[in-house]
Amino acid sequence: MNALRKPRYKVDLINLQAVCEANYWRLLRLMPDMADSDRLEVLVEDQDGEPQSLVIEVLERCRYTTTVRLIHQREHEWLTPPSMELRLYHDAGMAEVVAAYNRRRFRGVYPYPNEQMLQPDEKFQLNQFLGEWLGYCQRYGRSAQPVIIDR
């Protein structure tokens, strides 16, 4: 009797690029002055009303790219706050996760199962999660800094 085999995962490059493009614009909407500002804190509350925030820090600025770190801060003594690093490609209008949970440079496809316990589409899932995270902050977040409007 032949065992049914699941087909091997293939990267959907068009879908991955669409997610990265949407993340680029979400990030720019949250931090429109990224070229001048080094840090932004977005305050959000969870379902129980517990305060938490998303901190966006610019790590590196180059002519065509910017590298930022996102840190989810919440009051826990026992848990290291989750964070990820992103690279924004300004010429292509894309933002890609380049580091998360102490790993760098994610491949497009991983064999499954593997020792690192990564999903076959880990890179896509990380970028999709980033989009959900940024979208949540856009809908429910507020700036920790006062907003000044020049007239």
Side-chain angles (χ1 to χ4, degrees):
M1 180 176 199
N2 292 339
L4 294 176
R5 298 195 80 188
K6 186 176 178 180
R8 185 167 185 249
Y9 172 76
K10 295 180 183 170
V11 178
D12 183 352
L13 194 56
I14 293 171
N15 202 9
L16 177 61
Q17 287 179 333
V19 168
C20 290
E21 287 176 12
N23 289 344
Y24 180 84
W25 295 110
R26 286 183 186 109
L27 196 56
L28 286 184
R29 287 188 71 199
L30 279 174
M31 194 173 180
D33 59 344
M34 188 179 305
D36 301 321
S37 179
D38 288 335
R39 188 174 194 276
L40 172 72
E41 185 174 359
V42 179
L43 303 173
V44 292
E45 294 180 355
D46 66 9
Q47 296 172 349
D48 301 326
E50 293 290 322
Q52 49 189 315
S53 63
L54 174 68
V55 177
I56 304 170
E57 296 176 329
V58 176
L59 301 176
E60 177 183 57
R61 285 187 185 92
C62 296
R63 186 173 183 175
Y64 298 109
T65 63
T66 302
T67 304
V68 298
R69 178 182 297 133
L70 276 66
I71 303 170
H72 181 196
Q73 293 185 329
R74 186 174 181 174
E75 295 298 320
H76 283 300
E77 295 176 10
W78 51 271
L79 181 65
T80 304
S83 68
M84 53 176 63
E85 286 183 22
L86 318 173
R87 182 150 304 121
L88 283 76
Y89 302 96
H90 302 297
D91 54 344
M94 296 173 65
E96 178 184 28
V97 176
V98 294
Y101 44 83
N102 298 325
R103 289 192 58 88
R104 292 195 160 285
R105 297 193 180 147
F106 293 92
R107 290 188 275 163
V109 178
Y110 286 95
Y112 192 80
N114 57 60
E115 290 181 12
Q116 298 87 20
M117 297 182 65
L118 299 172
Q119 294 297 312
D121 62 341
E122 189 78 21
K123 183 174 187 171
F124 179 79
Q125 286 189 29
L126 280 171
N127 284 289
Q128 192 170 26
F129 172 69
L130 171 65
E132 293 170 3
W133 203 9
L134 295 175
Y136 184 85
C137 288
Q138 285 179 328
R139 284 189 298 279
Y140 302 110
R142 60 186 191 280
S143 176
Q145 296 86 8
V147 176
I148 300 171
I149 300 174
D150 292 332
R151 293 184 189 229

